[in-house]
Amino acid sequence: MDIQTDRDAEFMLLPVLEHGDLNLFESTAIGFYAASQPNSRLLGTTPAEKALIMQYTLYTENEVSANTIAWLMPILPAEELAQQNLKRALTTLDKIVANKTYLVGDEITYADICVVTSLVPSYTYVFDKSAREEFKNVLRYFETIMDTPHFKTFFDFFKYCETPLTYTPKE
């Protein structure tokens, strides 16, 4: 299938990865595929590490990313609920990373990649300095991962939010 010419509903989703005969969409599937290459330890090496990495991947998709999107693209009254849900999710994450550098093990795994990249929109658009201070452990964790060479390469554009975006309804 040529994704560029045979665009059906399935492949209207972005991002898209074409690798040989493999056509993937959804960033998590693409990330999982990339992380599962030979000699990669990003997906863990033991059953427990693999389960924890999957746990944090799903957690970030369902709790962090979903509520960030709802907050950034509000349909009233969903904005307030999204803010509450995201803050609840970050309160949990704040406790999880309180005494950890990485979510699983002693090096960056796919779980860290998923969680940190899902936090970028919040830190870019809605979490000003006072909001960031509310989740100090998450902020330290985020900054630690973002300060690694690979993240610096891909997120060199990143700047913290100074003034949060707010929803202004059309009149």
Side-chain angles (χ1 to χ4, degrees), residues 19-170:
H19 187 253
D21 290 336
L22 177 66
N23 296 313
L24 289 176
F25 62 91
E26 291 294 337
S27 58
T28 300
I30 293 167
F32 184 84
Y33 176 74
S36 66
Q37 298 306 302
N39 302 317
S40 171
R41 295 189 321 258
L42 289 172
L43 296 177
T45 57
T46 68
E49 286 179 349
K50 291 175 182 187
L52 286 166
I53 290 164
M54 181 57 66
Q55 170 187 286
Y56 290 120
T57 301
L58 295 171
Y59 168 78
T60 194
E61 287 181 356
N62 294 315
E63 297 294 334
V64 179
S65 295
N67 290 308
T68 298
I69 290 166
W71 191 341
L72 292 174
M73 294 183 243
I75 300 171
L76 294 178
E79 179 183 13
E80 187 175 317
L81 179 60
Q83 289 175 19
Q84 292 170 0
N85 288 341
L86 181 56
K87 287 180 178 184
R88 184 196 74 236
L90 292 181
T91 298
T92 300
L93 184 59
D94 205 61
K95 292 174 185 171
I96 290 168
V97 299
N99 297 308
K100 294 182 176 189
T101 303
Y102 308 107
L103 287 170
V104 180
D106 297 325
E107 60 187 341
I108 290 177
T109 65
Y110 188 58
D112 299 300
I113 294 168
C114 289
V115 170
V116 169
T117 57
S118 76
L119 291 169
V120 169
S122 294
Y123 283 131
T124 301
Y125 299 112
V126 294
F127 285 169
D128 60 8
K129 187 175 181 176
S130 65
R132 291 190 301 270
E133 289 174 358
E134 189 174 341
F135 307 103
K136 291 180 181 182
N137 297 322
V138 174
L139 180 60
R140 177 203 41 82
Y141 165 75
F142 178 82
E143 290 176 339
T144 298
I145 304 300
M146 289 291 281
D147 197 39
T148 62
H150 283 97
F151 274 79
K152 283 182 178 179
T153 298
F154 291 101
F155 290 99
D156 62 338
F157 63 88
F158 176 76
K159 301 265 189 276
Y160 283 108
C161 172
E162 298 292 327
T163 305
L165 291 179
T166 56
Y167 176 69
T168 306
K170 292 181 181 179

